[in-house]
PDB file of all heavy atoms in Angstrom:
ATOM      1  N   VAL X  50      75.839  85.626  93.582  1.00  0.00           N
ATOM      2  CA  VAL X  50      76.678  85.570  92.386  1.00  0.00           C
ATOM      3  C   VAL X  50      77.294  86.945  92.215  1.00  0.00           C
ATOM      4  O   VAL X  50      76.599  87.962  92.290  1.00  0.00           O
ATOM      5  CB  VAL X  50      75.847  85.212  91.139  1.00  0.00           C
ATOM      6  CG1 VAL X  50      76.708  85.266  89.885  1.00  0.00           C
ATOM      7  CG2 VAL X  50      75.228  83.835  91.286  1.00  0.00           C
ATOM      8  N   HIS X  51      78.598  86.991  91.989  1.00  0.00           N
ATOM      9  CA  HIS X  51      79.306  88.254  91.816  1.00  0.00           C
ATOM     10  C   HIS X  51      79.654  88.438  90.344  1.00  0.00           C
ATOM     11  O   HIS X  51      80.257  87.555  89.728  1.00  0.00           O
ATOM     12  CB  HIS X  51      80.570  88.284  92.671  1.00  0.00           C
ATOM     13  CG  HIS X  51      80.302  88.246  94.139  1.00  0.00           C
ATOM     14  ND1 HIS X  51      80.373  89.363  94.936  1.00  0.00           N
ATOM     15  CD2 HIS X  51      79.915  87.225  94.942  1.00  0.00           C
ATOM     16  CE1 HIS X  51      80.063  89.045  96.174  1.00  0.00           C
ATOM     17  NE2 HIS X  51      79.786  87.747  96.212  1.00  0.00           N
ATOM     18  N   ALA X  52      79.271  89.563  89.779  1.00  0.00           N
ATOM     19  CA  ALA X  52      79.554  89.870  88.374  1.00  0.00           C
ATOM     20  C   ALA X  52      80.594  90.979  88.296  1.00  0.00           C
ATOM     21  O   ALA X  52      80.558  91.946  89.075  1.00  0.00           O
ATOM     22  CB  ALA X  52      78.281  90.300  87.659  1.00  0.00           C
ATOM     23  N   PHE X  53      81.530  90.843  87.353  1.00  0.00           N
ATOM     24  CA  PHE X  53      82.612  91.801  87.183  1.00  0.00           C
ATOM     25  C   PHE X  53      82.751  92.178  85.713  1.00  0.00           C
ATOM     26  O   PHE X  53      82.432  91.396  84.827  1.00  0.00           O
ATOM     27  CB  PHE X  53      83.954  91.203  87.635  1.00  0.00           C
ATOM     28  CG  PHE X  53      83.971  90.672  89.038  1.00  0.00           C
ATOM     29  CD1 PHE X  53      83.558  89.376  89.294  1.00  0.00           C
ATOM     30  CD2 PHE X  53      84.409  91.449  90.089  1.00  0.00           C
ATOM     31  CE1 PHE X  53      83.576  88.868  90.583  1.00  0.00           C
ATOM     32  CE2 PHE X  53      84.434  90.961  91.372  1.00  0.00           C
ATOM     33  CZ  PHE X  53      84.018  89.665  91.631  1.00  0.00           C
ATOM     34  N   HIS X  54      83.241  93.376  85.457  1.00  0.00           N
ATOM     35  CA  HIS X  54      83.784  93.728  84.150  1.00  0.00           C
ATOM     36  C   HIS X  54      85.279  93.466  84.205  1.00  0.00           C
ATOM     37  O   HIS X  54      85.953  93.862  85.163  1.00  0.00           O
ATOM     38  CB  HIS X  54      83.536  95.205  83.827  1.00  0.00           C
ATOM     39  CG  HIS X  54      82.208  95.453  83.180  1.00  0.00           C
ATOM     40  ND1 HIS X  54      81.731  94.689  82.150  1.00  0.00           N
ATOM     41  CD2 HIS X  54      81.263  96.402  83.432  1.00  0.00           C
ATOM     42  CE1 HIS X  54      80.544  95.138  81.786  1.00  0.00           C
ATOM     43  NE2 HIS X  54      80.227  96.165  82.549  1.00  0.00           N
ATOM     44  N   GLY X  55      85.796  92.810  83.177  1.00  0.00           N
ATOM     45  CA  GLY X  55      87.220  92.535  83.144  1.00  0.00           C
ATOM     46  C   GLY X  55      87.813  92.845  81.787  1.00  0.00           C
ATOM     47  O   GLY X  55      87.115  92.820  80.769  1.00  0.00           O
ATOM     48  N   ARG X  56      89.086  93.155  81.777  1.00  0.00           N
ATOM     49  CA  ARG X  56      89.779  93.430  80.513  1.00  0.00           C
ATOM     50  C   ARG X  56      91.243  93.041  80.640  1.00  0.00           C
ATOM     51  O   ARG X  56      91.899  93.380  81.635  1.00  0.00           O
ATOM     52  CB  ARG X  56      89.663  94.905  80.146  1.00  0.00           C
ATOM     53  CG  ARG X  56      90.213  95.240  78.766  1.00  0.00           C
ATOM     54  CD  ARG X  56      89.848  96.652  78.349  1.00  0.00           C
ATOM     55  NE  ARG X  56      90.212  96.929  76.984  1.00  0.00           N
ATOM     56  CZ  ARG X  56      89.952  98.072  76.349  1.00  0.00           C
ATOM     57  NH1 ARG X  56      89.304  99.039  76.991  1.00  0.00           N
ATOM     58  NH2 ARG X  56      90.307  98.252  75.102  1.00  0.00           N
ATOM     59  N   VAL X  57      91.722  92.301  79.635  1.00  0.00           N
ATOM     60  CA  VAL X  57      93.128  91.934  79.571  1.00  0.00           C
ATOM     61  C   VAL X  57      93.757  92.701  78.412  1.00  0.00           C
ATOM     62  O   VAL X  57      93.233  92.666  77.285  1.00  0.00           O
ATOM     63  CB  VAL X  57      93.304  90.414  79.368  1.00  0.00           C
ATOM     64  CG1 VAL X  57      94.776  90.063  79.229  1.00  0.00           C
ATOM     65  CG2 VAL X  57      92.669  89.651  80.529  1.00  0.00           C
ATOM     66  N   TYR X  58      94.847  93.364  78.662  1.00  0.00           N
ATOM     67  CA  TYR X  58      95.488  94.214  77.662  1.00  0.00           C
ATOM     68  C   TYR X  58      96.527  93.442  76.858  1.00  0.00           C
ATOM     69  O   TYR X  58      97.091  92.450  77.339  1.00  0.00           O
ATOM     70  CB  TYR X  58      96.153  95.416  78.349  1.00  0.00           C
ATOM     71  CG  TYR X  58      95.165  96.289  79.085  1.00  0.00           C
ATOM     72  CD1 TYR X  58      94.923  96.113  80.446  1.00  0.00           C
ATOM     73  CD2 TYR X  58      94.445  97.282  78.416  1.00  0.00           C
ATOM     74  CE1 TYR X  58      94.010  96.909  81.122  1.00  0.00           C
ATOM     75  CE2 TYR X  58      93.528  98.080  79.086  1.00  0.00           C
ATOM     76  CZ  TYR X  58      93.319  97.884  80.434  1.00  0.00           C
ATOM     77  OH  TYR X  58      92.410  98.663  81.105  1.00  0.00           O
ATOM     78  N   GLU X  59      96.764  93.895  75.610  1.00  0.00           N
ATOM     79  CA  GLU X  59      97.760  93.242  74.758  1.00  0.00           C
ATOM     80  C   GLU X  59      99.144  93.328  75.377  1.00  0.00           C
ATOM     81  O   GLU X  59      99.951  92.406  75.242  1.00  0.00           O
ATOM     82  CB  GLU X  59      97.747  93.881  73.366  1.00  0.00           C
ATOM     83  CG  GLU X  59      96.468  93.609  72.577  1.00  0.00           C
ATOM     84  CD  GLU X  59      96.545  94.169  71.182  1.00  0.00           C
ATOM     85  OE1 GLU X  59      97.634  94.669  70.805  1.00  0.00           O
ATOM     86  OE2 GLU X  59      95.530  94.101  70.455  1.00  0.00           O
ATOM     87  N   ASP X  60      99.413  94.446  76.036  1.00  0.00           N
ATOM     88  CA  ASP X  60     100.682  94.595  76.745  1.00  0.00           C
ATOM     89  C   ASP X  60     100.582  93.815  78.057  1.00  0.00           C
ATOM     90  O   ASP X  60      99.908  94.237  78.997  1.00  0.00           O
ATOM     91  CB  ASP X  60     100.963  96.071  77.027  1.00  0.00           C
ATOM     92  CG  ASP X  60     102.286  96.290  77.746  1.00  0.00           C
ATOM     93  OD1 ASP X  60     102.997  95.296  78.000  1.00  0.00           O
ATOM     94  OD2 ASP X  60     102.599  97.459  78.064  1.00  0.00           O
ATOM     95  N   LEU X  61     101.213  92.658  78.101  1.00  0.00           N
ATOM     96  CA  LEU X  61     101.074  91.790  79.262  1.00  0.00           C
ATOM     97  C   LEU X  61     101.681  92.394  80.521  1.00  0.00           C
ATOM     98  O   LEU X  61     101.436  91.899  81.628  1.00  0.00           O
ATOM     99  CB  LEU X  61     101.710  90.429  78.974  1.00  0.00           C
ATOM    100  CG  LEU X  61     101.062  89.639  77.821  1.00  0.00           C
ATOM    101  CD1 LEU X  61     101.747  88.292  77.648  1.00  0.00           C
ATOM    102  CD2 LEU X  61      99.575  89.459  78.065  1.00  0.00           C
ATOM    103  N   ALA X  62     102.463  93.450  80.360  1.00  0.00           N
ATOM    104  CA  ALA X  62     103.017  94.121  81.541  1.00  0.00           C
ATOM    105  C   ALA X  62     101.979  94.989  82.231  1.00  0.00           C
ATOM    106  O   ALA X  62     102.169  95.397  83.377  1.00  0.00           O
ATOM    107  CB  ALA X  62     104.227  94.971  81.144  1.00  0.00           C
ATOM    108  N   THR X  63     100.880  95.270  81.530  1.00  0.00           N
ATOM    109  CA  THR X  63      99.808  96.062  82.118  1.00  0.00           C
ATOM    110  C   THR X  63      98.884  95.147  82.903  1.00  0.00           C
ATOM    111  O   THR X  63      98.359  94.169  82.347  1.00  0.00           O
ATOM    112  CB  THR X  63      98.997  96.780  81.024  1.00  0.00           C
ATOM    113  OG1 THR X  63      99.884  97.603  80.252  1.00  0.00           O
ATOM    114  CG2 THR X  63      97.903  97.640  81.638  1.00  0.00           C
ATOM    115  N   PRO X  64      98.664  95.425  84.167  1.00  0.00           N
ATOM    116  CA  PRO X  64      97.792  94.561  84.966  1.00  0.00           C
ATOM    117  C   PRO X  64      96.375  94.513  84.390  1.00  0.00           C
ATOM    118  O   PRO X  64      95.864  95.511  83.886  1.00  0.00           O
ATOM    119  CB  PRO X  64      97.797  95.228  86.356  1.00  0.00           C
ATOM    120  CG  PRO X  64      99.037  96.055  86.371  1.00  0.00           C
ATOM    121  CD  PRO X  64      99.240  96.519  84.959  1.00  0.00           C
ATOM    122  N   PRO X  65      95.718  93.362  84.420  1.00  0.00           N
ATOM    123  CA  PRO X  65      94.340  93.275  83.924  1.00  0.00           C
ATOM    124  C   PRO X  65      93.409  94.130  84.776  1.00  0.00           C
ATOM    125  O   PRO X  65      93.662  94.373  85.954  1.00  0.00           O
ATOM    126  CB  PRO X  65      94.008  91.790  84.054  1.00  0.00           C
ATOM    127  CG  PRO X  65      94.944  91.285  85.109  1.00  0.00           C
ATOM    128  CD  PRO X  65      96.199  92.078  84.952  1.00  0.00           C
ATOM    129  N   LEU X  66      92.331  94.581  84.148  1.00  0.00           N
ATOM    130  CA  LEU X  66      91.340  95.413  84.821  1.00  0.00           C
ATOM    131  C   LEU X  66      90.161  94.548  85.260  1.00  0.00           C
ATOM    132  O   LEU X  66      89.566  93.850  84.443  1.00  0.00           O
ATOM    133  CB  LEU X  66      90.845  96.520  83.884  1.00  0.00           C
ATOM    134  CG  LEU X  66      89.746  97.438  84.417  1.00  0.00           C
ATOM    135  CD1 LEU X  66      90.289  98.301  85.547  1.00  0.00           C
ATOM    136  CD2 LEU X  66      89.178  98.306  83.299  1.00  0.00           C
ATOM    137  N   ILE X  67      89.846  94.563  86.533  1.00  0.00           N
ATOM    138  CA  ILE X  67      88.699  93.834  87.063  1.00  0.00           C
ATOM    139  C   ILE X  67      87.899  94.789  87.936  1.00  0.00           C
ATOM    140  O   ILE X  67      88.402  95.290  88.940  1.00  0.00           O
ATOM    141  CB  ILE X  67      89.123  92.600  87.873  1.00  0.00           C
ATOM    142  CG1 ILE X  67      89.949  91.648  87.007  1.00  0.00           C
ATOM    143  CG2 ILE X  67      87.893  91.881  88.438  1.00  0.00           C
ATOM    144  CD1 ILE X  67      90.465  90.435  87.746  1.00  0.00           C
ATOM    145  N   VAL X  68      86.662  95.052  87.510  1.00  0.00           N
ATOM    146  CA  VAL X  68      85.816  96.017  88.217  1.00  0.00           C
ATOM    147  C   VAL X  68      84.539  95.319  88.688  1.00  0.00           C
ATOM    148  O   VAL X  68      83.803  94.761  87.872  1.00  0.00           O
ATOM    149  CB  VAL X  68      85.450  97.204  87.303  1.00  0.00           C
ATOM    150  CG1 VAL X  68      84.564  98.197  88.049  1.00  0.00           C
ATOM    151  CG2 VAL X  68      86.710  97.884  86.779  1.00  0.00           C
ATOM    152  N   PRO X  69      84.245  95.319  89.982  1.00  0.00           N
ATOM    153  CA  PRO X  69      82.984  94.735  90.453  1.00  0.00           C
ATOM    154  C   PRO X  69      81.790  95.438  89.820  1.00  0.00           C
ATOM    155  O   PRO X  69      81.752  96.663  89.718  1.00  0.00           O
ATOM    156  CB  PRO X  69      83.025  94.971  91.969  1.00  0.00           C
ATOM    157  CG  PRO X  69      84.473  95.141  92.283  1.00  0.00           C
ATOM    158  CD  PRO X  69      85.072  95.819  91.082  1.00  0.00           C
ATOM    159  N   LEU X  70      80.809  94.640  89.371  1.00  0.00           N
ATOM    160  CA  LEU X  70      79.659  95.184  88.674  1.00  0.00           C
ATOM    161  C   LEU X  70      78.376  95.026  89.479  1.00  0.00           C
ATOM    162  O   LEU X  70      77.698  96.003  89.789  1.00  0.00           O
ATOM    163  CB  LEU X  70      79.510  94.492  87.313  1.00  0.00           C
ATOM    164  CG  LEU X  70      78.326  94.891  86.441  1.00  0.00           C
ATOM    165  CD1 LEU X  70      78.415  96.348  86.046  1.00  0.00           C
ATOM    166  CD2 LEU X  70      78.251  93.996  85.209  1.00  0.00           C
ATOM    167  N   LYS X  71      78.028  93.787  89.814  1.00  0.00           N
ATOM    168  CA  LYS X  71      76.787  93.525  90.529  1.00  0.00           C
ATOM    169  C   LYS X  71      77.001  92.368  91.502  1.00  0.00           C
ATOM    170  O   LYS X  71      77.850  91.506  91.294  1.00  0.00           O
ATOM    171  CB  LYS X  71      75.654  93.115  89.565  1.00  0.00           C
ATOM    172  CG  LYS X  71      75.332  94.127  88.467  1.00  0.00           C
ATOM    173  CD  LYS X  71      74.438  95.232  88.958  1.00  0.00           C
ATOM    174  CE  LYS X  71      74.029  96.133  87.786  1.00  0.00           C
ATOM    175  NZ  LYS X  71      73.216  97.273  88.245  1.00  0.00           N
ATOM    176  N   VAL X  72      76.198  92.355  92.543  1.00  0.00           N
ATOM    177  CA  VAL X  72      76.057  91.177  93.392  1.00  0.00           C
ATOM    178  C   VAL X  72      74.604  90.727  93.253  1.00  0.00           C
ATOM    179  O   VAL X  72      73.681  91.470  93.577  1.00  0.00           O
ATOM    180  CB  VAL X  72      76.397  91.468  94.857  1.00  0.00           C
ATOM    181  CG1 VAL X  72      76.182  90.216  95.707  1.00  0.00           C
ATOM    182  CG2 VAL X  72      77.834  91.951  94.985  1.00  0.00           C
ATOM    183  N   LEU X  73      74.410  89.523  92.737  1.00  0.00           N
ATOM    184  CA  LEU X  73      73.082  89.004  92.450  1.00  0.00           C
ATOM    185  C   LEU X  73      72.633  88.108  93.604  1.00  0.00           C
ATOM    186  O   LEU X  73      73.318  87.148  93.961  1.00  0.00           O
ATOM    187  CB  LEU X  73      73.096  88.213  91.143  1.00  0.00           C
ATOM    188  CG  LEU X  73      73.751  88.920  89.952  1.00  0.00           C
ATOM    189  CD1 LEU X  73      73.776  88.002  88.736  1.00  0.00           C
ATOM    190  CD2 LEU X  73      73.034  90.222  89.627  1.00  0.00           C
ATOM    191  N   ARG X  74      71.488  88.442  94.180  1.00  0.00           N
ATOM    192  CA  ARG X  74      70.995  87.703  95.338  1.00  0.00           C
ATOM    193  C   ARG X  74      69.618  87.137  95.029  1.00  0.00           C
ATOM    194  O   ARG X  74      68.774  87.825  94.485  1.00  0.00           O
ATOM    195  CB  ARG X  74      70.915  88.623  96.560  1.00  0.00           C
ATOM    196  CG  ARG X  74      72.215  89.361  96.866  1.00  0.00           C
ATOM    197  CD  ARG X  74      72.063  90.300  98.054  1.00  0.00           C
ATOM    198  NE  ARG X  74      73.223  91.153  98.228  1.00  0.00           N
ATOM    199  CZ  ARG X  74      74.307  90.803  98.896  1.00  0.00           C
ATOM    200  NH1 ARG X  74      74.359  89.607  99.488  1.00  0.00           N
ATOM    201  NH2 ARG X  74      75.337  91.629  99.005  1.00  0.00           N
ATOM    202  N   GLY X  75      69.393  85.895  95.400  1.00  0.00           N
ATOM    203  CA  GLY X  75      68.096  85.289  95.167  1.00  0.00           C
ATOM    204  C   GLY X  75      68.066  83.797  95.428  1.00  0.00           C
ATOM    205  O   GLY X  75      67.048  83.250  95.831  1.00  0.00           O
TER     206      GLY X  75
END
């Protein structure tokens, strides 16, 4: 399972932020 931090800005011209956080294995 891949977990990310993400953020969408009010200014739609600004690309959304997606940052890899964790890879969950089990």
